[in-house]
Amino acid sequence: MRYFIISFFLFLCIPYVNAQSDNEYQNNALSFELGKTGLIYNLTFDHKLLNTNFGFHLGIGSSFAKYLRVFATGGGVYYLLGKNKNFLETGIDLNYLSVDEVSNDQKGFALIYPDYTINTLYTSVNIGYRKYGKAGMFRIGMSPGFFKDGFVPGAYISYGFTF
């Protein structure tokens, strides 16, 4: 797992060179996201394919909780409906979720993820709003996920910079 995380961050550091494009904004984004993949705090890399409204994103996140540790990573594809800088974002993700219950006598109310130890893959569907700026990107939407034993209600809000 450690090698996957290191490889993921090295991938994010690779410089991208874009040829001349008629887009007013860049096609790569690095953003901080609340909700969705890590269920609390996420770092997300996003790439929109040139001259199309298709793209993909990769994310890694955690809850950073003391008694119920949550780690999630995953990626997905999306399609943007709209023109200019405002889009309706639709997509599907495949995520890995690891919940580690460190102390079962410290129960809390876990609304957005299971409150028991689990390691699983789950899929989620996305629908939301995306806006590009000259140097930034804003996203907000819903992202419910489904796994074998349950359901993860999902929502996200994200802001990042484009390059």
Side-chain angles (χ1 to χ4, degrees), residues 86-106:
N86 298 297
F87 297 96
L88 174 67
E89 177 183 65
T90 60
I92 189 165
D93 295 345
L94 179 62
N95 302 300
Y96 169 74
L97 172 66
S98 175
V99 178
D100 184 23
E101 182 182 25
V102 178
S103 173
N104 63 5
D105 63 340
Q106 304 290 329

Side-chain angles (χ1 to χ4, degrees), residues 6 12 16 28 40 49 51 72 81 89 91 93 98 113 131 146 150-151 161 163:
I6 292 169
L12 291 178
Y16 285 89
N28 298 309
I40 301 294
L49 301 175
N51 301 320
L81 298 164
E89 177 183 65
D93 295 345
S98 175
Y113 51 82
K131 179 177 177 83
F146 306 92
F151 168 75
F161 66 92
F163 56 99

Side-chain angles (χ1 to χ4, degrees), residues 38-132:
L39 306 168
I40 301 294
Y41 310 106
N42 304 298
L43 184 62
T44 303
F45 170 76
D46 189 279
H47 177 74
K48 183 178 164 295
L49 301 175
L50 288 174
N51 301 320
T52 69
N53 282 347
F54 286 100
F56 67 92
H57 59 92
L58 303 169
I60 187 168
S62 178
S63 67
F64 297 109
K66 186 174 182 180
Y67 298 110
L68 189 66
R69 295 188 188 126
V70 177
F71 170 78
T73 186
V77 294
Y78 61 84
Y79 181 74
L80 302 176
L81 298 164
K83 294 183 179 181
N84 298 330
K85 297 179 182 181
N86 298 297
F87 297 96
L88 174 67
E89 177 183 65
T90 60
I92 189 165
D93 295 345
L94 179 62
N95 302 300
Y96 169 74
L97 172 66
S98 175
V99 178
D100 184 23
E101 182 182 25
V102 178
S103 173
N104 63 5
D105 63 340
Q106 304 290 329
K107 287 289 185 185
F109 182 67
L111 175 64
I112 58 174
Y113 51 82
D115 63 351
Y116 51 88
T117 299
I118 187 172
N119 293 307
T120 188
L121 289 173
Y122 76 95
T123 58
S124 62
V125 293
N126 306 323
I127 186 162
Y129 170 75
R130 178 184 289 226
K131 179 177 177 83
Y132 283 100

